Amino acid sequence: MYRMLIYMNNNQSRPKWKLKDYGLRSTPGFVYQQPSALRGRTDVASVTSWLAPIVWEGTFDPTLIDFMYKKQNLTIATTVFALGKYTRFLKDFLESAEQHYFVGFRVQYYLFTDHPEVVPVVKMRENHHLTVRKVPSMNRWQDISMGRMDILEKLIENELAGEADYIFCLDVDTQFYGRWSVESLGRLVGVIHPWFFEAPRHLFTYERRPESLAYIPEGEGDYYFTGAAFGGSLEDVLHLTKTCREQLNIDTANSIEAVWHEESHLNKYFLYNKPSKLLSPEYLWRNINAGSSQIKTIRFSHVAKNNAEVRPNP
Ligand code: UDP
Ligand code: MN
């Protein structure tokens, strides 16, 4: 009772989107496989040099973590954008998400589109809900992609307090093929880009011009992260989106556009604000048909697309 009162008092003084943290609790009598201090994946790194976990198949016990996270009564906000011809990706994205994404947990999708009338009707699981928001069309795919940071910032700041605990922001030209669930949760979560997980840092496609605020000097860099999937707590993702949005605006005012747009700014952000959890390329693969010995399961993947055909400009 005493603990409870302290908790409630703390609760009142927290900022409105502060993550509720109950800790990860098991229960007497709940049985699962013994974790090992000695055995684990040996072909991949499962921790960074700042001691953040890197999530790969075989590094977590789904039975145990599902059980512990169920007690937390969480809501995962999930954003996706489909403007112009990208609405064609929605059906497979949503149907596959409903097969694999946070099954058994509360999910609130926010779909931003300039064509709400063509959004497919997809049967949602219990506790999964879809909200469609109309946004203006844009002429450049780069502006659509970068403009997401601004819309995400406003969504979190103005609407998500008390509505969600975590948020993931995902590309729509993608599909789920396997479990993506509570093992992915953390304060600040980045996904290692599927083209660069084996590459030395000098080959990363960071922005290399000092004139851009996305600039990363030679000799710096941890990983190359994808802009197609990132997330974390509302508070941390708000700070991320706000920072990237501000830096994108300053670059625009200085007539410079970073080489990979908001992905370049995201990489700059993650270099100096270390993610607390990293997801392996299982969580954003290149194409379902491409293999790699370290990838034991593909959970989420870009689908093949003809850029010239789907994008509004080259
Ligand atoms: N997007 C969109 N309409 C467009 C271009 C982009 O809705 O005409 C959105 C969509 O959510 C897409 C994301 O912006 O997944 C990123 O663009 P894209 O997938 O083309 O970038 P890539 O993954 O190829 O770098
Ligand atoms: Mn994409």
Side-chain angles (χ1 to χ4, degrees):
M1 190 60 199
Y2 183 56
R3 271 166 176 265
M4 189 72 190
L5 284 174
I6 292 176
Y7 180 72
M8 287 169 63
N9 284 339
N10 285 345
N11 208 13
Q12 281 162 5
S13 61
R14 293 185 307 181
K16 56 185 179 157
W17 44 69
K18 188 90 179 173
L19 190 60
K20 50 186 187 208
D21 185 4
Y22 303 112
L24 290 174
R25 296 190 182 157
S26 190
T27 299
F30 179 68
V31 178
Y32 52 92
Q33 209 182 6
Q34 181 191 350
S36 175
L38 301 175
R39 279 177 295 103
R41 288 282 296 257
T42 52
D43 56 337
V44 293
S46 53
V47 64
T48 67
S49 60
W50 61 93
L51 298 177
I54 309 176
V55 183
W56 299 86
E57 178 71 9
T59 60
F60 63 93
D61 180 344
T63 311
L64 174 60
I65 59 171
D66 282 354
F67 180 77
M68 294 188 299
Y69 276 100
K70 283 262 163 67
K71 296 167 179 284
Q72 297 197 1
N73 196 23
L74 300 171
T75 301
I76 321 302
T78 301
T79 62
V80 63
F81 289 71
L83 285 81
K85 292 185 179 169
Y86 281 58
T87 53
R88 70 177 60 174
F89 299 114
L90 278 171
K91 187 165 187 291
D92 287 347
F93 174 89
L94 289 170
E95 283 181 353
S96 65
E98 285 306 286
Q99 290 295 312
H100 300 293
Y101 185 69
F102 284 98
V103 174
F105 295 88
R106 208 174 310 116
V107 171
Q108 178 65 57
Y109 298 101
Y110 294 87
L111 161 58
F112 297 92
T113 179
D114 53 352
H115 290 296
E117 71 286 356
V118 304
V119 172
V121 178
V122 172
K123 187 163 170 14
M124 295 276 144
R125 288 176 181 272
E126 201 192 343
N127 290 332
H128 287 206
H129 301 281
L130 176 69
T131 299
V132 179
R133 294 283 163 83
K134 186 163 181 170
V135 291
S137 304
M138 287 190 206
N139 299 328
R140 292 177 71 240
W141 69 269
Q142 297 92 334
D143 290 334
I144 296 173
S145 196
M146 292 188 289
R148 292 185 292 179
M149 289 294 181
D150 182 37
I151 293 173
L152 295 172
E153 178 195 356
K154 305 288 179 297
L155 176 76
I156 300 169
E157 186 146 50
N158 301 330
E159 296 188 55
L160 293 192
E163 297 295 316
D165 302 285
Y166 293 93
I167 181 167
F168 277 102
C169 313
L170 306 175
D171 262 23
V172 73
D173 56 326
T174 51
Q175 213 177 306
F176 291 86
Y177 299 92
R179 174 195 163 103
W180 176 323
S181 190
V182 289
E183 72 281 0
S184 66
L185 296 177
R187 295 197 61 100
L188 184 61
V189 182
V191 182
I192 300 172
H193 196 293
W195 290 108
F196 297 103
F197 68 104
E198 296 164 299
R201 52 158 73 119
H202 74 268
L203 293 181
F204 292 168
T205 54
Y206 291 149
E207 175 55 61
R208 300 296 189 188
R209 294 167 297 172
E211 295 75 29
S212 167
L213 287 180
Y215 171 61
I216 295 176
E218 288 291 341
E220 292 192 40
D222 301 316
Y223 301 89
Y224 189 80
F225 293 96
T226 179
F230 58 89
S233 70
L234 297 185
E235 190 182 14
D236 287 62
V237 179
L238 177 61
H239 190 252
L240 178 159
T241 52
K242 190 184 190 61
T243 307
C244 290
R245 191 264 306 155
E246 286 169 358
Q247 303 206 354
L248 284 158
N249 287 349
I250 294 170
D251 269 13
T252 303
N254 292 328
S255 307
I256 188 160
E257 191 167 275
V259 56
W260 287 105
H261 320 105
E262 80 291 351
E263 184 174 87
S264 305
H265 290 270
L266 181 73
N267 272 281
K268 167 86 177 271
Y269 187 86
F270 278 149
L271 179 56
Y272 303 116
N273 303 266
K274 303 293 191 204
S276 65
K277 186 176 276 187
L278 283 69
L279 305 181
S280 69
E282 295 167 7
Y283 289 82
L284 182 76
W285 193 237
R286 327 161 172 166
N287 171 334
I288 187 67
N289 297 316
S292 182
S293 67
Q294 299 91 347
I295 307 296
K296 309 288 181 208
T297 178
I298 295 175
R299 303 170 188 282
F300 186 54
S301 178
H302 258 124
V303 296
K305 74 175 186 301
N306 178 349
N307 287 337
E309 208 252 318
V310 293
R311 287 175 172 168
N313 62 304

